[in-house]
Amino acid sequence: MNRVIDHNGVERWLGNIEPPVGHIAKAFTVYGDTPDAPMFARSEWPAMIVKFPAGPDWPYLPYVHDQDGIGQCNADATVTMAESCRLSQGLPFVALSAADLYDRINGGQDQGSILEDAIEEMLERGVGTVATCGTLWKRGMVKAPAAERVRFKFLEAYWCPTFDHHMSAVLAGFRLNSGIMWYDNYTPDGDGWLPKGTGGAGGHSVFGYKPAMRGNQFGIWHQNSWESRWGIGGRCVFPEAAYKGQVGGWFAVRSVVDEGGVVPPERSA
Amino acid sequence: MRASIHAAFFAVAFAATCQGQGPSIEIPSEIKATGRWVRLSPKTDAVGVLYVALDGEEAFPSEELKDPRRFLFDTKGLNGRYRFAAIGASATGELVRVDFVVIVGNGPTPTPPGPGPMPPDPKPPDPAGVVKFLVVVEETADATAARGIYLADLTLAARLKDKGIKIRVVDKDVVGTDGKPPADVARFIADARDKPLARVYLVDEKGKTIFAGNMPADPARLIELLSRFGG
């Protein structure tokens, strides 16, 4: 399955594909293996989560992307991580081009992509802007120059092997890319939580940003790339149960290249 | 971290596997302090209640009390509104959260001690002395535990937006694509060298640094600091 009909009756595309047989996974630092990527015990989570505001709001969310009929979910989730990092670092907002990233990881056709390829590209080469490349991939599209891409790179990225790693990362202020199986009954309830998955499913990739808790259930708020009419203003909670197995990986990112901001030089009165 | 103090409490709560009815907690939404100690035994069927301070002032650890559901809060030296989240756990692991406020004195907002050296009685800010930029220099590797909570604070974000304050958060070792510290924050990074991190700088619209000191421990204290400089 590579597309679903959402609760608005709109056809939505997925695009997170499993690596081919024989694929050798790229090596990433494992979250929790370094002191600056701390793990938090499950028993600590509730007291931490209640300090986060309830609901979908969060101060450093960029606009809700719309992959609009293209299988570029992974690229949208990944560049949204970068856009969000820039906002929290106090850098001016720049709309980054999922199309420019997808163009380099989709094998030349709209067939979806692998999460680790997107993360690696963002670590090594970066991504161009919407102003240069547009938002949606198409064959023969304008490519961003290397000098532009290098301004928008990840500085570090971690692979999260379990939900506990992923939750620890978001508690510590990391931005997430969650590769999961997306079920065709995945319509958020009134609180934004996805139900238990049933029916057909396909790989999807979504940007995650904040922990959530309901009763004794943990989850993570995500911003989908299906424009803001979907879900709660484009957002939903992935319950822990949605993390049944990695589909392409779960990744955490904290910061992007700092090209300088807007604090004025000190001048005499 | 306070959360770790309560690890045992939640370990017990989450160790239970069978599903049961969630506990209930009845606490008034506002409690007016009438003496030094605020004492409360909520009406609840929870086996334990954890009280999480949302404005920095902690309640006495409930697990140290004979009744681990009791709320005990020392108001000595306080004035203002102090928010708490009460998290109750049932014997079967179900959790419930109830928020409430303790009102001490007549002050509308908490007035905790400042994070560092501050002018004892700053003059009313003139336009040139009003904070317009908030610069934070941090050691990213040390900042992670509180970072997520700081990032998520909607009250702080709303204050920054309302007052038109732009924020810059940089690691002490940050360099741009040219291998140099970003030009707009280079002077703060240089100043923060050999000082405790995270360090905060308030800057006016002319680029003048009007405050430098230690980063407040929580968003409420940072808001208090901003308000002293017109922000």
Side-chain angles (χ1 to χ4, degrees):
Chain A
M1 186 178 82
N2 59 8
R3 68 191 80 176
V4 296
I5 304 298
D6 77 4
H7 55 87
N8 295 313
V10 178
E11 185 178 53
R12 304 294 189 184
W13 287 68
L14 305 174
N16 171 20
I17 59 174
E18 287 278 19
V21 175
H23 171 80
I24 298 173
K26 297 177 174 65
F28 294 94
T29 305
V30 176
Y31 188 89
D33 281 2
T34 57
D36 58 343
M39 292 293 293
F40 300 108
R42 187 169 280 254
S43 56
E44 296 180 73
W45 294 357
M48 298 178 77
I49 293 172
V50 296
K51 293 194 173 183
F52 288 77
D57 289 347
W58 194 67
Y60 303 105
L61 287 174
Y63 74 103
V64 180
H65 287 212
D66 182 7
Q67 60 186 98
D68 195 15
I70 306 293
Q72 61 182 49
C73 62
N74 170 29
D76 277 295
T78 305
V79 302
T80 302
M81 295 165 91
E83 289 174 335
S84 176
C85 285
R86 282 183 61 86
L87 291 175
S88 61
Q89 290 172 228
L91 298 168
F93 176 74
V94 176
L96 300 177
S97 175
D100 182 56
L101 181 58
Y102 188 51
D103 188 56
R104 287 174 277 149
I105 58 176
N106 68 359
Q109 54 186 319
D110 184 18
Q111 58 182 1
S113 60
I114 300 171
L115 268 69
E116 63 182 52
D117 289 344
I119 300 294
E120 182 186 51
E121 279 292 321
M122 288 296 290
L123 281 168
E124 295 190 358
R125 279 169 285 277
V127 71
T129 65
V130 165
T132 302
C133 309
T135 56
L136 294 175
W137 179 83
K138 59 184 176 184
R139 193 173 284 111
M141 59 174 277
V142 173
K143 301 178 192 314
E148 178 177 300
R149 288 174 177 160
V150 77
R151 295 169 52 205
F152 308 107
K153 287 173 57 177
F154 289 158
L155 294 179
E156 54 187 347
Y158 296 85
W159 176 63
C160 300
T162 71
F163 178 76
D164 286 32
H165 291 77
H166 221 37
M167 178 62 100
S168 293
V170 80
L171 285 167
F174 283 71
R175 278 10 91 85
L176 309 179
N177 187 349
S178 302
I180 63 164
M181 291 303 288
W182 190 270
Y183 291 84
D184 56 16
N185 72 326
Y186 265 2
T187 296
D189 64 20
D191 295 331
W193 288 67
L194 296 181
K196 181 181 179 183
T198 57
H204 194 35
S205 162
V206 187
F207 161 72
Y209 61 92
K210 188 174 74 168
M213 183 173 71
R214 185 168 70 174
N216 60 354
Q217 191 178 22
F218 294 117
I220 297 175
W221 276 100
H222 284 74
Q223 179 165 294
N224 207 343
S225 50
W226 291 349
E227 48 106 9
S228 58
R229 279 186 302 158
W230 183 86
I232 310 290
R235 296 156 199 144
C236 69
V237 178
F238 287 9
E240 182 175 4
Y243 290 87
K244 291 173 182 169
Q246 303 218 355
V247 183
W250 304 333
F251 290 93
V253 168
R254 176 165 45 199
S255 56
V256 295
V257 165
D258 190 320
E259 56 173 340
V262 295
V263 182
E266 188 163 11
R267 22 181 224 272
S268 55
Chain B
M1 158 169 295
R2 179 168 171 76
S4 61
I5 296 171
H6 302 285
F9 172 86
F10 284 105
V12 171
F14 280 93
T17 53
C18 60
Q19 296 293 310
Q21 185 70 31
S24 66
I25 302 178
E26 292 182 21
I27 298 178
S29 59
E30 291 190 347
I31 301 171
K32 176 79 174 169
T34 55
R36 173 176 171 179
W37 292 94
V38 174
R39 301 176 175 87
L40 177 74
S41 290
K43 185 178 178 183
T44 179
D45 55 355
V47 295
V49 181
L50 169 65
Y51 297 95
V52 179
L54 302 179
D55 291 315
E57 294 296 336
E58 306 276 1
F60 192 84
S62 53
E63 72 270 22
E64 301 293 336
L65 299 172
K66 193 175 292 182
D67 179 353
R69 300 169 297 184
R70 190 164 169 79
F71 176 74
L72 186 61
F73 182 51
D74 185 357
T75 67
K76 185 178 181 183
L78 301 181
N79 182 42
R81 297 169 64 87
Y82 299 87
R83 296 173 301 140
F84 291 88
I87 306 173
S90 71
T92 55
E94 293 286 335
L95 299 178
V96 66
R97 171 181 174 173
V98 176
D99 289 7
F100 64 99
V101 179
V102 174
I103 302 169
V104 185
N106 298 316
T109 57
T111 53
M118 290 187 205
D121 185 19
K123 297 174 184 175
D126 61 52
V130 173
V131 56
K132 285 298 172 189
F133 299 90
L134 166 63
V135 180
V136 179
V137 180
E138 63 179 8
E139 167 51 84
T140 310
D142 294 337
T144 48
R147 217 167 183 265
I149 293 165
Y150 243 110
L151 281 174
D153 194 89
L154 297 176
T155 306
L156 174 60
R159 174 65 73 92
L160 297 175
K161 184 177 181 182
D162 182 49
K163 297 289 185 177
I165 301 170
K166 292 185 168 58
I167 189 168
R168 285 283 279 133
V169 180
V170 293
D171 184 89
K172 67 179 180 59
D173 298 315
V174 67
V175 292
T177 53
D178 59 359
K180 298 176 182 174
D184 68 322
V185 291
R187 65 186 189 273
F188 307 110
I189 293 171
D191 180 80
R193 193 170 295 128
D194 301 326
K195 293 189 174 75
L197 300 178
R199 192 163 176 80
V200 63
Y201 299 87
L202 305 185
V203 181
D204 73 9
E205 63 184 0
K206 293 185 175 179
K208 181 182 179 184
T209 301
I210 53 178
F211 173 82
N214 298 331
M215 182 72 169
D218 57 57
R221 286 178 167 84
L222 178 55
I223 291 170
E224 168 65 14
L225 174 63
L226 291 171
S227 68
R228 293 174 184 229
F229 294 92

